[in-house]
Amino acid sequence: MESSWKPGRLLGETVEEDSDGFGLIVLAADLNEVGPKFGRLWKNAVCRVCADGAANRVHDIEDKDGDLKYIPDIICGDMDSVRPEVLSHYQLQGCETVASSCQDTTDFTKCVKELLQRRANRQLQFSHIVAVGSTSGRFDHVMGMIQTLFLFPSDHLPPITIVAAESIMFLLHPGKHSITVSSEMLDECCGLIPIGHPCQSVSTSGLKWNLHGQRLAFGELISTSNCITDDVVCVHTDQPLLWTMTAK
């Protein structure tokens, strides 16, 4: 079965009528750098979750705008970063708090688990999870985000897309994938990263430098700074493969 990815739809002004919508997780990113994408994602999400200290970032935007529209539904994490006054402010606005002291999982992972649990209990309905994060700053945080993608494979769970200021990334599980490219929202630059382990066979179409059953591995060949040439990119991989592309 072929998996279909349409990241441009997630960034649009409205959610497609044939979609069950998406749950939004806000990570510790500079939301001003993310720009108008963040406002659109916030407006269209069926549920908005702040990962611990990300609530501070949302609150600071709220203060700057003088508007109460940025009120998360849930704040989730180990609660070691959210400011006490921010937590109290949102609790008074009806925001739920879900605290977990587990130090073996990141706050991002905790948030994904919380959304999936509510979906399983039929408290929420969505077909996708979008996380707003940062690919700059602390590199260990970036690796932590990618680790979370590996923990929740999209072959049997709602797919997770990470949206940053200039990049969008998601994990392609083994099999065939089609990625629809919206030129209004997305740029041509892309990469296929065999992070964690080698991919023995990767084939693509729709790229300037296509792959033809080639092995991708660090220390050998990886496909960075590739370019999208068609409206739809097809990827066939035998192992999990990180796809990244440039967002406008």
Side-chain angles (χ1 to χ4, degrees), residues 68-85:
L68 292 178
K69 63 183 178 180
Y70 293 117
I71 301 173
D73 300 296
I74 304 167
I75 299 174
C76 180
D78 59 9
M79 303 301 174
D80 66 345
S81 301
V82 59
R83 301 194 301 265
E85 68 273 16

Side-chain angles (χ1 to χ4, degrees), residues 188-192 202-212 214 216 221-230 233-234 243:
E188 64 178 8
C189 298
C190 68
L192 298 99
V202 179
S203 298
T204 67
S205 63
L207 301 179
K208 185 174 182 179
W209 293 284
N210 280 309
L211 298 162
H212 305 283
Q214 288 159 272
L216 296 184
L221 173 68
I222 66 172
S223 181
T224 58
S225 302
N226 211 322
C227 294
I228 298 168
T229 57
D230 293 346
V233 175
C234 294
W243 168 269

Side-chain angles (χ1 to χ4, degrees), residues 113-153:
K113 287 183 176 179
E114 184 64 25
L115 278 177
L116 292 178
Q117 183 63 52
R118 295 181 182 228
R119 182 176 182 265
N121 293 340
R122 301 187 183 279
Q123 295 172 269
L124 291 172
Q125 182 177 347
F126 56 85
S127 58
H128 208 108
I129 294 174
V130 178
V132 176
S134 174
T135 53
S136 59
R138 284 180 53 180
F139 188 66
D140 61 325
H141 281 175
V142 177
M143 291 294 100
M145 289 194 302
I146 295 171
Q147 159 71 354
T148 297
L149 297 182
F150 274 87
L151 293 175
F152 302 99

